[in-house]
């Protein structure tokens, strides 16, 4: 089995992903926390309702995303803080929840379980919306419910149509905006008349049919740093838990909480920072390599193998 990659002379309306760095101010950060929490709240409320409905009668018809969206209006009246969120983001939550239930019902292998409740302790927070985002200068974007937010660059958004956007808060404490855009005139590469086959290996990342080898990316430095901070984080968090239990057992008037200890939280951010550096450099290496191959060859044949199975062999 081979996967064939071909260059096409004419391509229109291509979807592309763009990721930008966001620099929200303190007020906008508080608003983002509210919006993250609102998405989590709607997910848990809808999921609890669907679980109870499924337990009471498994023969009831499946609730689609449009019926769930109809329930958002009374839910906003009962919980007015939901109005602080972009209305399209709550509809996307219902869309994701509906798709999760469909995957559960359509799975015949039993590997996909029922959707789970979302926890506020999850480090990577995000919400997705479908509203219109406007550019305002070279470094600012107008995002619904947030206003004008400073960003890294907006020149890459020229001649694009934003289909969907996602605001993310990484464990490192950095905010990002992930965009799904539609490009009417994508970048075209000139034809070279060359063909090549690629063999994926373990020692080397890729071996071409013409003899060229591309080594695997070496991220051992940042991975070692991440392991060191992982141990520090686990040890500091464990000691903080012991002190919290000690205060509870002694029945202290003002017992300390786990969040009051900042030492393990600093270690957690340092660990996430080195993990993100290793992942970003590996992603950048792969992106540059694949772009180079696509520019050099018109036809690329890749052997369809799983590297995990290759690693099992001695």
């Amino acid at each position: 089995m081979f996967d064939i990659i071909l260059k096409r002379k004419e391509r229109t309306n291509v979807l592309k992903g763009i990721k930008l760095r966001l620099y929200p101010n303190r007020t906008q950060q508080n608003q983002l926390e509210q919006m993250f929490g609102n998405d989590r709240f709607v997910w848990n409320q809808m999921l609890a309702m669907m679980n109870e409905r499924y337990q009471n009668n498994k023969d009831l018809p499946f609730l689609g995303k449009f019926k769930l969206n109809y329930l958002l209006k009374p839910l906003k009246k009962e919980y007015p803080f939901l109005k602080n969120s972009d209305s399209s983001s709550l509809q996307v939550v219902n869309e994701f929840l509906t798709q999760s239930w469909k995957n559960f019902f359509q799975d015949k292998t039993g590997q996909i379980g029922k959707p789970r409740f979302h926890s506020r302790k999850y480090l990577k927070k995000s919400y997705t919306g479908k509203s219109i985002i406007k550019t305002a200068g070279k470094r600012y974007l107008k995002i619904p419910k947030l206003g004008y937010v400073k960003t890294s660059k907006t020149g890459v958004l020229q001649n694009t149509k934003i289909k969907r956007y996602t605001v993310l808060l990484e464990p490192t404490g950095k905010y990002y905006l992930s965009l799904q855009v539609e490009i009417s005139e994508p970048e075209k590469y000139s034809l070279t008349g060359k063909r090549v086959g690629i063999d994926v290996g373990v020692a080397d990342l890729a071996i071409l049919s013409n003899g060229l080898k591309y080594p695997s990316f070496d991220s051992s430095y940042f991975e070692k740093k991440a392991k060191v901070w992982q141990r520090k984080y686990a040890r500091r968090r464990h000691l903080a838990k012991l002190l919290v239990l000690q205060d509870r057992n002694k029945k202290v008037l003002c017992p300390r909480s786990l969040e009051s200890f900042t030492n393990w939280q600093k270690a957690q951010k340092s660990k996430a920072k080195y993990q993100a550096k290793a992942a970003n450099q590996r992603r950048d290496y792969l992106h540059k390599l694949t772009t180079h191959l696509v520019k050099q060859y018109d036809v690329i044949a890749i052997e369809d193998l799983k590297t995990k199975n290759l690693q099992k062999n001695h």
Side-chain angles (χ1 to χ4, degrees), residues 8 95 111 113 115 123 170 203 269 293:
R8 296 182 180 178
E95 180 181 342
Q111 297 180 355
L123 294 177
E170 298 285 345
K269 284 191 175 182
L293 291 174

Side-chain angles (χ1 to χ4, degrees), residues 197-209 212-217 285-286 289 301-313:
I198 300 179
D199 181 22
V200 180
V202 178
D204 297 311
L205 177 62
I207 304 173
L208 305 188
S209 57
L212 292 177
K213 295 183 179 180
Y214 293 94
S216 300
F217 175 72
Y285 175 75
L286 294 175
L289 175 59
I302 305 176
E303 192 173 6
D304 190 9
L305 292 175
K306 293 183 179 180
T307 55
K308 289 185 178 180
N309 295 336
L310 294 176
Q311 292 175 354
K312 294 179 182 178
N313 195 330

Side-chain angles (χ1 to χ4, degrees), residues 12 48 194 248:
T12 57
K194 297 180 181 179
R248 291 179 181 177

Side-chain angles (χ1 to χ4, degrees), residues 23-35:
Y23 302 92
N25 54 34
R26 180 61 61 182
T27 304
Q28 291 169 341
Q29 290 180 14
N30 295 334
Q31 177 67 19
L32 284 172
E33 283 294 327
Q34 177 71 49
M35 297 171 78

Side-chain angles (χ1 to χ4, degrees), residues 115-294:
R116 298 181 179 180
F117 292 98
H118 289 176
S119 173
R120 66 178 62 188
K121 296 181 180 179
Y122 187 57
L123 294 177
K124 191 174 181 180
K125 304 176 183 179
S126 65
Y127 79 90
T128 303
K130 296 184 291 186
S131 299
I132 298 176
I133 293 181
K134 298 180 180 179
T135 57
K138 296 182 180 179
R139 296 290 301 273
Y140 284 90
L141 290 173
K142 188 176 181 181
I143 304 177
K145 296 295 183 178
L146 292 176
Y148 295 96
V149 184
K150 187 177 181 181
T151 182
S152 55
K153 51 189 175 180
T154 58
V156 293
L157 299 179
Q158 294 181 355
N159 301 324
T160 61
K161 181 181 179 181
I162 299 176
K163 306 290 289 184
R164 183 172 291 192
Y165 72 94
T166 301
V167 181
L168 304 102
L169 173 60
E170 298 285 345
T172 56
K174 297 179 181 179
Y175 292 86
Y176 291 94
L177 178 66
S178 180
L179 300 169
Q180 184 190 53
V181 300
E182 187 179 72
I183 304 176
S184 57
E185 296 181 359
E187 184 180 0
K188 297 180 180 180
Y189 299 140
S190 58
L191 298 176
T192 61
K194 297 180 181 179
R195 300 182 179 184
V196 72
I198 300 179
D199 181 22
V200 180
V202 178
D204 297 311
L205 177 62
I207 304 173
L208 305 188
S209 57
N210 55 15
L212 292 177
K213 295 183 179 180
Y214 293 94
S216 300
F217 175 72
D218 184 16
S219 60
S220 58
Y221 174 77
F222 292 115
E223 288 178 355
K224 289 180 180 178
K225 289 284 188 179
K227 288 181 180 178
V228 171
W229 281 103
Q230 172 66 36
R231 289 193 292 267
K232 290 183 179 180
Y233 159 72
R235 184 169 61 251
R236 292 177 183 180
R237 184 178 172 85
H238 177 67
L239 293 176
K241 285 184 176 181
L242 292 179
L243 291 176
V244 170
L245 291 175
Q246 185 178 2
D247 288 353
R248 291 179 181 177
N249 294 333
K250 291 184 178 180
K251 297 181 180 180
V252 180
L253 184 61
C254 297
R256 292 171 290 184
S257 62
L258 188 62
E259 286 73 19
S260 62
F261 294 90
T262 59
N263 206 16
W264 67 270
Q265 298 178 22
K266 292 179 181 178
Q268 186 182 50
K269 284 191 175 182
S270 298
K271 175 198 67 169
K273 180 182 69 173
Y274 286 112
Q275 289 175 342
K277 282 186 176 181
N280 291 337
Q281 288 192 358
R282 186 183 298 107
R283 191 182 301 111
D284 180 69
Y285 175 75
L286 294 175
H287 176 68
K288 290 179 179 178
L289 175 59
T290 52
T291 304
H292 170 73
L293 291 174
V294 170

